[in-house]
Amino acid sequence: MSLLELVAVSKRYGGVLALDQVSFTVEAGTIVGVMGANGAGKTTLFALIAGNERPSGGEVRFAGRSLAGLRPDQIARRGVARTFQVVRPFAGLSVRENVLAGALFGTRAFASAALARRAADAIVEEAGLGGQADRLAGTLTLSGQKRLEVARAIATGARLVMLDEVMAGLLPAEVDEMLATLHALQRARGLTLLVIEHVMQALMRLSQRIVVLHLGALIAQGSPEEVAADPEVQRLYFGETA
Amino acid sequence: MSERRDAVLVLGALGAGAAVPAIGSDYWTGFAITALMWIALAQSWSVFSGLSGYVSFGHVVFYGLGAYLVVATWDRLSPALSVPLAALAAAAFALAIGAPVLRVRGPYFVILSFGIAELVKFVVIAAEAAAGHASRLILRTPDLAALFYLMLALAAAATALAWAVRSTRLGHGLRAIREDEVAAETIGVPVARYKLAALALSAAVPGAVGGTMAMRATYFEPLQAFDPMVSFTMIAMAVIGGSDDLRGPVLGALVLVYLSELLWAGAPQLYMVILGALVLGFALFVPGGLCGRAGARRARPA
């Protein structure tokens, strides 16, 4: 059984069809990349899965159960977490408290506050934020805030973590560090990742499978090599002559 | 943990204050009742507004309803019953209005909370007028020392409540809501339920405080019981002291009660001017208040 299943999911904003009957599945423990130009519907897809927005049609199923009608907090407790493309840290709280909030809510029930704290602190370290644990989240650099988004999402204990452009705007060296961090976090926890990324190289290196959205429709999916060789993708990304 | 240290500090100071009626004159006991009242109100306000970031400009409504309940039932219920009932009624009212009202954020919530308090004030005025009262007097109220101990218990209860909320998931969830409601919801914070719970908890003590102050005044007059200045003053105290800190509302209450005692008799207008300037200054330049950690944390080297 697939961990995540999208069945003909659509989203309409007034006259605009942001997502048009998108169907695909994500197997547990894999890393799946979501590719597509601006306006392809990638972030809308995340919002629908996480419950921030309601689909206009179709169904999202997680671990065999429908998520239809659930609020974001209920979906989070089922084991789905996401980061935000435009970061949304709890700016007035420390890095440690941001991650602790993820641990206290989400899917895990800790026997004591001390255990939750310990788990959160461990994730702060793993995410490479150990030196900044007591700083207010709002004072971190963009790179730090992107790491914090990842740490907070993972702290919820989610099985599916959706990463929305966590490498956008980072320096090449920072991208490499982030890739290493993501791989380590994913392997240590057996996480399933759904990743939106504009840094194409990074997406190809990270993902086992890629789905390609174009103007709200799913136009290709497969391994990074298959997708790169797909004629439709070639036409859209590299021009007609390729 | 420092949170526990703060709670012990505040509760210890309140405990030490229990000696006031025994050693001080009635003037000082009365002064202490006023100070304790503001501590209880500012502390309660911060439980909801300080943690959730939903700035209530209408907390006087809970105070006024509590006062009204105690006075209206004076001939039938003993205060031992009506004061706890005032707390429950205030919390119940908070639950009833919370579901629709807490849907709006920011300045809209501020205006709405103020508007509800004013609305209730005029409903009570109308109801009293219809019943043939302009104001009500109550007789055989408890003596000053009894009222002092009751108010002391309410200040301690508000502090204990603030401590309890802050050290549980509810407190963490409310802070997350304050910082970013969408992100809070997305990590699993049941935002609607938490906001409602915090508002109800934050309303209970002011309900009992209102009932107690009605006994102290021995009369009830809606324009005074629902005076918006009560809301403004508790906000000012929490903001000046620091609304996300157990000590903050206590410190803010003491500073302003002392200031008002100094200036009220001689220069009441000056008191209002200073109050306004203080709130403005703190909101702009010291948003964490006297006990704020924001400044301190930022200054700490990373």
Side-chain angles (χ1 to χ4, degrees), chain A residues 52 72-73 76-77 82 84 88 90-94 97 100-102 104-106 134-136 152, chain B residues 169 172-173 175-176 178-180 182-190 194 293-294 297-298 300 302:
Chain A
N52 302 115
D73 58 297
R77 286 195 290 279
R82 70 171 289 199
F84 292 92
R88 309 189 79 126
F90 301 136
L93 304 184
S94 72
E97 287 167 321
L100 178 62
L104 285 173
F105 295 93
D134 289 316
R135 274 181 60 175
L136 289 182
R152 189 177 64 188
Chain B
R169 267 160 51 108
H172 287 276
R175 282 206 191 92
R178 177 185 74 201
E179 298 296 326
D180 189 321
V182 172
E185 178 174 57
T186 305
I187 61 168
V189 179
Y194 270 30
R293 59 175 204 159
R297 286 241 174 145
R298 244 182 226 117
R300 191 187 296 169

Side-chain angles (χ1 to χ4, degrees), chain A residues 38-206:
Chain A
N38 284 328
K42 305 183 299 292
T43 295
T44 302
L45 185 73
F46 277 19
L48 293 182
I49 296 169
N52 302 115
E53 308 252 8
R54 295 271 164 99
S56 316
E59 191 184 39
V60 180
R61 299 178 65 79
F62 180 73
R65 293 160 75 192
S66 172
L67 298 182
L70 295 184
R71 296 189 312 265
D73 58 297
Q74 295 171 315
I75 292 175
R77 286 195 290 279
R78 291 260 180 107
V80 177
R82 70 171 289 199
T83 69
F84 292 92
Q85 181 181 6
V86 179
V87 291
R88 309 189 79 126
F90 301 136
L93 304 184
S94 72
V95 166
R96 192 193 299 277
E97 287 167 321
N98 267 264
V99 179
L100 178 62
L104 285 173
F105 295 93
T107 65
R108 298 199 275 182
F110 290 97
S112 75
L115 285 176
R117 260 170 221 288
R118 209 170 303 154
D121 286 350
I123 291 170
V124 169
E125 288 291 335
E126 283 177 81
L129 291 166
Q132 293 147 316
D134 289 316
R135 274 181 60 175
L136 289 182
T139 69
L140 295 180
T141 60
L142 178 65
S143 154
Q145 295 194 350
K146 298 247 171 185
R147 283 176 177 274
L148 180 59
E149 286 267 328
V150 175
R152 189 177 64 188
I154 286 175
T156 64
R159 292 166 68 192
L160 172 69
V161 178
M162 301 188 285
L163 305 174
D164 196 346
E165 302 216 4
V166 291
M167 287 172 269
L170 302 191
L171 301 169
E174 290 174 332
V175 169
D176 287 341
E177 284 171 22
M178 183 66 105
L179 276 174
T181 304
L182 290 178
H183 265 131
L185 284 166
Q186 190 262 343
R187 250 181 250 126
R189 293 177 164 70
L191 295 177
T192 309
L193 300 183
L194 192 57
V195 186
I196 294 175
E197 205 49 68
H198 258 129
V199 184
M200 207 56 69
Q201 281 269 312
L203 194 67
M204 294 283 180
R205 274 162 67 192
L206 190 64

Side-chain angles (χ1 to χ4, degrees), chain B residues 65 68-69 72 118-136 220-223 226:
Chain B
L65 284 174
Y68 190 36
L69 188 140
E118 288 292 284
L119 175 71
V120 171
K121 175 171 82 181
F122 287 110
V123 167
V124 171
I125 290 174
E128 287 291 275
H133 298 286
S135 63
R136 298 187 193 226
F220 173 82
E221 202 278 302
L223 284 174
F226 291 91

Side-chain angles (χ1 to χ4, degrees), chain B residues 93-108:
Chain B
F93 180 71
L95 285 178
I97 59 162
V101 167
L102 288 168
R103 286 166 189 270
V104 297
R105 269 197 84 87
Y108 302 102

